[in-house]
Amino acid sequence: MDPNPKTFPILSYVMGRIPTFGPRPTTTATGGTDPDFVQVDIEAPPPPAQGAQSDPSSSGAGGQYQIVDHMPRLTDPKLLDSMTRAVVDVAQTRSVLKTIGDRPDHEAVDTAKAKLADIEANLAKQLEDLVLSPRPAEVDRLQWRTHLADKESECRKAAEMEKQTYKAVIQLDEMHEAYQKLLRDAEERLVKIYELAAAAAAEEEAEARDGDQVTEEVNEEVVGILQQASGTGLERVNLSGRRLRFLPEAFGRIRSLIVLNISSNQLEIIPDSIAGLQNLEELNASSNLLVSLPDSIGLLQRLKILNVSGNKLRALPDTIAHCRSLVELDASFNSLTYLPTNIGYELVNLERLSIQLNKIRSLPTSVCEMRSLRYLDAHFNEIRGLPLAIGKLTKLEVLNLSSNFSDLTELPDTVGDLTNLKELDLSNNQIHALPDTFGRLDNLTKLNLDQNPLVIPPMEVVNEGVEAVKVFMAKRWLEILVEEERKSMLEVQEQAQAGWLTRSTSWLKGYVSGVSEYLASPRAPKDPYLDQQL
């Protein structure tokens, strides 16, 4: 919830110096401030210990030491005070969201929207039935209208009560989305404030003039390609590293195109006309400034390889699921917070999915339907867990879930069903125990469990290597099965004993009942001969 230093470096730096964000200084017995107190940035690495040599070339998670090197005026108290006042709204909004709770995942939001639509549909049906219901003969028209109005009010109140939970989910998601926009706006404000204070306008204008001159040259090259394509069946176009700022709509008319490389440019959008590239099989749009992809990308039915890594994408369009021929999808190094809910139901041919270095908090359940998936890289995200049906990915060979840090704490038992898994990286997480079924991963040859507070298996086993871990977990699984079998047998024996006791008790009751009947039956008349006295 705090601004990420990688995405909002200046904002993170400034907010790290707001008292409510940074650690509070401790006071001494005399009421003064502790002289050992050190102000630190939020999400910045801890300062090195005294006497420790620091490598100026090393990099940390927060990167706050670098921003001062590049923007030295940030240490100016007046400038910092001006910047702090400019982000008061961010601080207040963050405090509110901290109280309300975390952002719901995309699948939960989609489910809530679907539920609201169902409730609206049911309400419309109820109201229609009310309008069409016949008026009883004994009820006059005015009373019947009053009755219908009361019924309508009851239906609407009941529907509104039912909607409240789902509306809360959507509103919470909207609040978090608004907060993200607030962060982006605040970062832009701070950049402008710094630029004014640093008086760097002249230098930026010179760079802009150089960029415009290059762009004009590039445009001539693009025009030449378009002219060439009009007379021939052009199949491949490589415009990588040309500093392009836009792609002409006319590119959508090169229907013969199979491979298009527009990587390492300055593109902010891809035109909708790209849908005209009906034969396109490979599109490389990596390392640009793309904030979104056009919905028309879903019309590229023959697209097999799509690389949109290294952009500013905050979401993938839902229509990407219509690219059913996709074999490789690389959306790494972006700002994605979720994947489309239905992405896995149609991408059944996908073999490689790279979504590392994003902000994804959960994988949609539909990912488990990608039965052809062999490679899944989701490291450096905010993933909190895997879907329970992850075991359906029986062709998966490589799985990288490293560096989800405090978010990933456990794996489901269905991980044991990934029988073709060869490489698994779980480093830099908070996993305390591997799932009991882990020993069933017979083909696993590479395993990284570094930087986890593991208890099961113990670290001495982990240090012996992947085979030792598999043997330990397999024995543990066998012991669990034996224990369950023993308990099951005990239950059977207890049931058998209970059955014998029931039968014995029933027999004994029957016997006692027979004896009682005999003793209680009327006796035969005495023989007078036996009563004679000798």
Side-chain angles (χ1 to χ4, degrees), residues 247 251 351 424:
L247 195 65
F251 257 93
E351 296 182 7
L424 177 61

Side-chain angles (χ1 to χ4, degrees), residues 447 449 457-472:
L447 176 63
L449 296 171
M459 289 309 299
E460 55 267 23
V461 174
V462 174
N463 293 335
E464 293 178 12
V466 59
E467 291 301 325
V469 172
K470 287 162 59 177
V471 170
F472 178 89

Side-chain angles (χ1 to χ4, degrees), residues 61-367:
Q64 301 291 1
Y65 64 94
Q66 291 181 341
I67 195 171
V68 177
D69 293 339
H70 293 301
M71 308 177 78
R73 293 185 64 85
L74 284 176
T75 57
D76 184 350
K78 292 183 178 179
L79 177 60
L80 190 59
D81 182 59
S82 175
M83 287 183 166
T84 302
R85 290 196 301 270
V87 297
V88 170
D89 55 344
V90 177
Q92 293 173 343
T93 306
R94 173 191 176 276
S95 300
V96 172
L97 290 179
K98 278 283 188 182
T99 305
I100 296 176
D102 294 336
R103 184 173 185 174
D105 61 61
H106 183 63
E107 193 168 3
V109 175
D110 279 359
T111 300
K113 290 179 179 177
K115 290 289 187 183
L116 286 177
D118 290 342
I119 294 170
E120 286 289 349
N122 291 334
L123 177 60
K125 182 66 171 60
Q126 290 175 350
L127 296 180
E128 181 181 357
D129 291 343
L130 277 177
V131 172
L132 298 178
S133 58
R135 176 173 60 87
E138 65 276 9
V139 180
D140 63 43
R141 192 178 301 277
L142 183 58
Q143 288 179 336
W144 183 244
R145 288 180 179 176
T146 304
H147 170 74
L148 291 180
D150 292 341
K151 282 290 185 181
E152 180 182 350
S153 178
E154 290 176 6
C155 291
R156 291 187 182 278
K157 286 180 180 179
E160 197 59 36
M161 288 290 292
E162 194 176 356
K163 288 180 186 177
Q164 286 181 358
T165 301
Y166 305 117
K167 281 185 175 181
V169 173
I170 296 173
Q171 288 172 354
L172 181 57
D173 180 68
E174 290 173 349
M175 290 179 67
H176 277 276
E177 180 62 29
Y179 178 63
Q180 290 299 316
K181 184 178 183 303
L182 196 64
L183 293 181
R184 293 191 294 270
D185 293 344
E187 181 74 10
E188 292 176 2
R189 289 200 303 270
L190 295 181
V191 169
K192 290 179 180 178
I193 292 174
Y194 187 87
E195 287 175 349
L196 291 173
E203 182 180 355
E204 290 181 358
E205 288 176 2
E207 292 178 356
R209 284 196 299 270
D210 294 340
D212 291 340
Q213 186 176 1
V214 172
T215 302
E216 290 175 2
E217 296 174 358
V218 171
N219 285 342
E220 294 179 2
E221 181 181 1
V222 172
V223 170
I225 290 174
L226 292 173
Q227 290 175 348
Q228 178 187 354
S230 62
T232 62
L234 193 64
E235 294 185 352
R236 293 174 175 268
V237 169
N238 186 353
L239 290 172
S240 178
R242 303 297 205 281
R243 295 189 182 180
L244 285 176
R245 294 185 179 180
F246 69 94
L247 195 65
E249 294 275 350
F251 257 93
R253 294 197 291 269
I254 312 177
R255 301 189 183 279
S256 57
L257 205 60
I258 296 177
V259 178
L260 175 59
N261 186 348
I262 50 175
S263 62
S264 302
N265 283 292
Q266 300 172 15
L267 299 174
E268 296 184 5
I269 61 170
I270 292 178
D272 286 323
S273 62
I274 197 172
L277 305 180
Q278 298 174 354
N279 294 302
L280 195 66
E281 295 182 3
E282 182 176 341
L283 173 59
N284 187 349
S286 61
S287 301
N288 276 286
L289 304 174
L290 300 175
V291 178
S292 63
L293 297 178
D295 288 335
S296 60
I297 200 169
L299 298 175
L300 301 178
Q301 296 293 307
R302 296 188 180 183
L303 193 64
K304 295 179 180 179
I305 300 175
L306 176 60
N307 187 347
V308 290
S309 62
N311 281 285
K312 298 182 178 182
L313 298 175
R314 294 192 289 272
L316 296 176
D318 291 339
T319 56
I320 202 169
H322 300 159
C323 300
R324 298 179 181 87
S325 299
L326 268 183
V327 177
E328 296 183 18
L329 173 58
D330 189 346
S332 58
F333 292 89
N334 278 287
S335 299
L336 302 177
T337 56
Y338 64 90
L339 295 179
T341 301
N342 297 323
I343 190 171
Y345 292 130
E346 298 186 66
L347 298 187
V348 294
N349 296 309
L350 196 68
E351 296 182 7
R352 292 178 65 90
L353 177 59
S354 302
I355 51 174
Q356 66 269 24
L357 281 102
N358 279 288
K359 302 175 183 179
I360 297 172
R361 287 171 289 133
S362 64
L363 298 178
T365 307
S366 66
V367 166

